[in-house]
Amino acid sequence: MSASKKVYLFANWKMYLDYDESNILANAVAAASSDFATKIKMVVFPSSLSFYPVAQALGDVGIVSGAQNIHFEDKGGFTGENSALMYKNAGAKFTLIGHSERRHLFGETNHEVHQKMEAALLVGLVPVLCVGETAKERKGDKAKDVVEVQLRAALDGLKWKPKAKLFIAYEPVWAIGTGKNCDPVEAEKMCLMIENMAKALAKDVEIIILYGGSVNGGNIKEFIKQPNINGVLVGGASAKLDTWLQIVQNAC
Ligand code: PGA
């Protein structure tokens, strides 16, 4: 990655922070933003409960926010859900789609991932499609096949608007929240493969590849120096000010 190229640092706060904690962290990140604003592109994914005030506080300093998950219908009897349209109206610019916790803990299927991709594109949210294999699949030499199936199911047949952007986060399931990150060179190989495959499935779309899974201040540089890794999607270490600023500073 060239020195002038922006690095994407995406913060997935998951369900780590309550309402007050989310607002405190958002304000602290906003206050620190003048140190890094020109060098990186930061997107924060707060909980749905905290989304609006966090998006406001961060938006004031030019940091954008996104949804952790969306429902594909605009409105209706879907208890506990929030639609892509609702997030868009509340100020979201991005949305995660198909995060491994949604797939593995909540049974989200490849078909639902596709429906969410369609919904995001329809309302104009930039999708951050998450793909990745489990430890068992990697051991069985199935990582590439699994990721290919996920990519095809998500992307095949989508209608893209001109100048559309697609972020894809390669997040091996075994590396998420475990403290065991993927070897950066191995991640680079997977990211290159993902980029090539996605280019064939989403023609004329700007594709940006991220790595996710136990990224921290100590390993961030190794990931972003890989030519085909344009940034990272961070969970645990993004939900605390000190560990997040360490990542930001080392990325800068
Ligand atoms: P982690 O999570 O950084 O805590 O491993 C990454 C993610 O789930 O996006």
Side-chain angles (χ1 to χ4, degrees):
M1 174 173 292
S2 76
S4 58
K5 207 162 157 185
K6 274 209 178 182
V7 174
Y8 295 89
L9 298 183
F10 285 14
N12 176 9
W13 290 356
K14 305 193 182 184
M15 205 178 75
Y16 287 132
L17 305 171
D18 68 19
Y19 185 81
D20 286 344
E21 290 164 340
S22 300
N23 285 301
I24 290 167
L25 182 56
N27 283 302
V29 170
S33 69
S34 56
D35 299 343
F36 56 76
T38 57
K39 295 183 189 130
I40 61 164
K41 171 91 182 161
M42 186 185 291
V43 182
V44 174
F45 298 85
S47 69
S48 54
L49 182 69
S50 317
F51 179 83
Y52 188 74
V54 165
Q56 294 284 306
L58 294 173
D60 286 347
V61 295
I63 298 172
V64 299
S65 298
Q68 293 182 10
N69 178 42
I70 51 169
H71 194 278
F72 46 84
E73 296 285 355
D74 286 347
K75 282 189 174 169
F78 301 100
T79 302
E81 294 289 312
N82 296 290
S83 71
L85 184 63
M86 287 170 177
Y87 268 111
K88 176 77 179 175
N89 291 343
K93 301 273 189 272
F94 285 72
T95 181
L96 302 182
I97 296 183
H99 187 278
S100 84
E101 286 154 9
R102 302 288 328 161
R103 292 177 190 264
H104 294 280
L105 301 177
F106 301 101
E108 198 166 296
T109 64
N110 276 329
H111 178 61
E112 284 162 338
V113 168
H114 182 85
Q115 289 176 300
K116 291 179 182 196
M117 287 292 301
E118 282 182 327
L121 298 190
L122 213 60
V123 305
L125 290 178
V126 178
V128 183
L129 171 65
C130 303
V131 296
E133 80 288 352
T134 62
K136 195 171 162 211
E137 288 159 349
R138 175 156 282 259
K139 272 200 198 102
D141 205 17
K142 294 268 185 306
K144 284 187 182 159
D145 297 349
V146 168
V147 168
E148 177 168 2
V149 168
Q150 290 172 338
L151 286 173
R152 273 192 198 290
L155 300 177
D156 222 5
L158 289 177
K159 289 190 185 66
W160 296 89
K161 291 188 179 139
K163 298 196 177 151
K165 278 189 186 169
L166 164 64
F167 286 78
I168 303 178
Y170 169 56
E171 298 206 302
V173 179
W174 47 271
I176 294 179
T178 58
K180 291 184 201 146
N181 61 275
C182 182
D183 174 67
V185 175
E186 176 55 23
E188 160 68 12
K189 279 189 210 154
M190 289 295 288
C191 288
L192 178 59
M193 189 228 31
I194 288 167
E195 184 169 358
N196 288 334
M197 203 174 283
K199 270 186 189 154
L201 290 163
K203 296 202 176 72
D204 303 321
V205 175
E206 186 186 344
I207 294 165
I208 299 147
I209 310 288
L210 312 176
Y211 165 79
S214 297
V215 172
N216 57 40
N219 59 29
I220 177 73
K221 283 188 193 171
E222 287 304 310
F223 284 108
I224 59 173
K225 82 177 191 199
Q226 305 298 328
N228 290 289
I229 298 179
N230 300 108
V232 288
L233 176 57
V234 185
S238 75
K240 290 193 207 99
L241 186 65
D242 58 343
T243 49
W244 181 237
L245 291 184
Q246 226 183 334
I247 290 174
V248 172
Q249 276 150 12
N250 289 347
C252 287

